[in-house]
Amino acid sequence: NTDHKIIVISNFVNKLSLRTKNADTNNVNFQGGLYEFSNWDATLIKDGPQRWVKLKNKKSDKFLRFNSDTEIDATGSSGTTDNAVFKVHKLSDDFYRLESKKFPGKFIRVTEDGKKVSVGNGSGDHSKFKIWRKD
C-alpha cells in the first residue's frame, strides 16, 4: 500500500530545508527554503503498523539514499533498493526521524552548524525533522 505526497523536510536546529545544491545531487545539505531543490516526492509505504518512505528530489529526479553507512547523497536512480528507503519514526505532530532501511540504527542528521547532512544514531534535535506537505 503506497501513497505519494510532495514534501519539504526542515531541520529542528535552524529550520532550513533538506535540498540538493542546484543540479549537484552529490551535494545534499540543509540550506534550502521551500523552493524546487527542496521539494521531495515522498512515496509512503505502509507495512502493517510500520511506515517507510522513499524520497525523490523533484528537480533532479534522483532518490535520497544512504550511499554507505557514513554517507548520504541524492544520486539514486532507482527507489527499489533498500539504501533509498527510510523507516519513519513519528515523534509528535509533524516531527519525525528517518532511519536507513539498509543500515539499521543509522539516521539522517544535520551537522552541528545546521548546514550539512550527516549520519547519526537518531538521538537529539539534530535528527529531528519537520515535514511540510506541499500538495
Side-chain angles (χ1 to χ4, degrees):
N1 191 3
T2 62
D3 189 17
H4 287 270
K5 305 282 183 234
I6 305 302
I7 63 168
V8 172
I9 302 169
S10 64
N11 74 72
F12 189 76
V13 176
N14 67 7
K15 313 299 187 261
L16 293 177
S17 300
L18 177 67
R19 69 167 187 174
T20 59
K21 186 174 181 187
N22 302 324
D24 182 4
T25 56
N26 283 319
N27 188 347
V28 182
N29 62 47
F30 276 103
Q31 297 182 47
L34 299 176
Y35 307 106
E36 57 190 4
F37 292 103
S38 297
N39 292 330
W40 300 87
D41 182 357
T43 302
L44 184 64
I45 305 158
K46 299 174 186 174
D47 184 13
Q50 184 55 58
R51 302 292 187 259
W52 303 89
V53 69
K54 295 187 285 186
L55 300 167
K56 183 161 75 168
N57 187 269
K58 289 295 289 178
K59 185 69 174 173
S60 71
D61 211 32
K62 299 288 185 180
F63 286 89
L64 187 69
R65 67 179 184 161
F66 270 76
N67 194 30
S68 70
D69 66 346
T70 60
E71 184 180 326
I72 298 169
D73 65 26
T75 61
S77 59
S78 168
T80 60
T81 60
D82 284 351
N83 65 342
V85 178
F86 301 91
K87 184 177 184 179
V88 178
H89 296 267
K90 186 166 185 168
L91 303 175
S92 62
D93 287 345
D94 299 326
F95 284 98
Y96 302 86
R97 292 194 197 317
L98 299 172
E99 179 181 5
S100 171
K101 183 174 185 180
K102 184 170 183 171
F103 302 104
K106 303 291 183 178
F107 291 76
I108 297 175
R109 179 182 185 281
V110 63
T111 54
E112 297 297 322
D113 64 5
K115 295 180 179 178
K116 297 179 184 168
V117 174
S118 65
V119 177
N121 64 9
S123 64
D125 289 342
H126 289 83
S127 291
K128 183 178 180 180
F129 305 104
K130 184 166 184 123
I131 296 181
W132 307 83
R133 282 190 55 189
K134 291 273 293 190
D135 59 356

